[in-house]
Amino acid sequence: LFRSIQPIVRLSVNILLPCAFIATGAAVFFGTDIMQWLYTDMDAYSGRVFAWLMACFPAYCIMYIYSTLLTANGNLALLNKVAIVGVVINLSLNLWLIPEQQALGAAKVAFITQTTLAFLYIFFSGRKLHLDKGIKLLAAHIGYVLLLGTAGFLCMQLHIYWLYAMLLYALCGLVLIFLFRFVSVSSVKALMAK
């Protein structure tokens, strides 16, 4: 049973996480432009808040995958304990950072809380379901993020309209997904056949 879910977990991570990194990078590199495009009277501060909030997205994707595994395995008590840890971290840091940094502080706390919970879900899923440690997968995702960040930085340096630069960045991210072989048509077909 534990071996049979490993390919599904790997495929889910390989589909969701790179796309989440692309969206996060777009917010980090083009956040101010996006906010000014969507709303009137927005500044760089709003862009930073948006970037920190979007940085939570990869953690949300991880939590959707691994918390679902723990739920399906019947580890509801463990899920509640992890949630309590999240509440304690969130409340403590909000009491400290919101008076000092206001909305930016709340956004940073959201990132810290969600990222911590994501790591806890990965850790406990690995222990309870005997999942592979996935060192190669982790290294691949780190390499992907580094190259994606480089592509985003270079696209920002281009003297073109920001929307075109962002679309070029997103295209680079999609190409990298296939270069890193996170998703392939054959792997999806093989999983569907099983």
Side-chain angles (χ1 to χ4, degrees):
L1 174 63
F2 296 133
R3 285 184 182 178
S4 66
I5 66 170
Q6 187 70 49
I8 298 172
V9 173
R10 186 178 296 271
L11 182 62
S12 300
V13 169
N14 283 345
I15 290 174
L16 287 176
L17 212 49
C19 294
F21 286 138
I22 291 173
T24 298
V28 169
F29 293 114
F30 306 100
T32 302
D33 294 311
I34 292 171
M35 292 300 288
Q36 289 175 345
W37 185 49
L38 292 173
Y39 306 100
T40 57
D41 197 29
M42 287 291 161
D43 54 10
Y45 179 81
S46 302
R48 290 198 303 274
V49 172
F50 176 62
W52 277 103
L53 289 174
M54 283 302 296
C56 300
F57 189 38
Y60 275 118
C61 292
I62 290 171
M63 287 193 297
Y64 283 138
I65 296 166
Y66 289 95
S67 65
T68 301
L69 286 176
L70 291 171
T71 302
N73 198 45
N75 302 115
L76 298 180
L78 176 60
L79 286 169
N80 288 332
K81 290 175 184 176
V82 172
I84 290 170
V85 169
V87 169
V88 171
I89 292 171
N90 196 272
L91 285 177
S92 303
L93 291 178
N94 271 323
L95 288 171
W96 173 42
L97 284 179
I98 287 180
E100 191 175 303
Q101 300 182 17
Q102 300 174 344
L104 184 61
K108 289 178 180 178
V109 171
F111 171 76
I112 293 168
T113 304
Q114 302 307 327
T115 302
T116 302
L117 293 182
F119 280 115
L120 288 174
Y121 285 132
I122 291 172
F123 173 75
F124 286 118
S125 294
R127 283 186 61 183
K128 295 292 183 181
L129 298 167
H130 310 290
L131 299 174
D132 294 339
K133 291 184 179 179
I135 302 299
K136 288 182 180 179
L137 183 65
L138 177 62
H141 281 284
I142 290 173
Y144 176 80
V145 169
L146 292 175
L147 285 176
L148 187 66
T150 303
F153 176 78
L154 292 175
C155 287
M156 278 185 65
Q157 307 311 310
L158 299 174
H159 297 292
I160 58 175
Y161 183 51
W162 71 268
L163 187 57
Y164 300 143
M166 187 177 72
L167 291 174
L168 179 61
Y169 153 80
L171 180 62
C172 290
L174 291 174
V175 169
L176 285 172
I177 287 175
F178 289 98
L179 288 178
F180 274 85
R181 297 185 179 178
F182 288 137
V183 180
S184 66
V185 176
S186 58
S187 64
V188 174
K189 284 183 178 178
L191 188 61
M192 295 298 288
K194 290 181 182 179

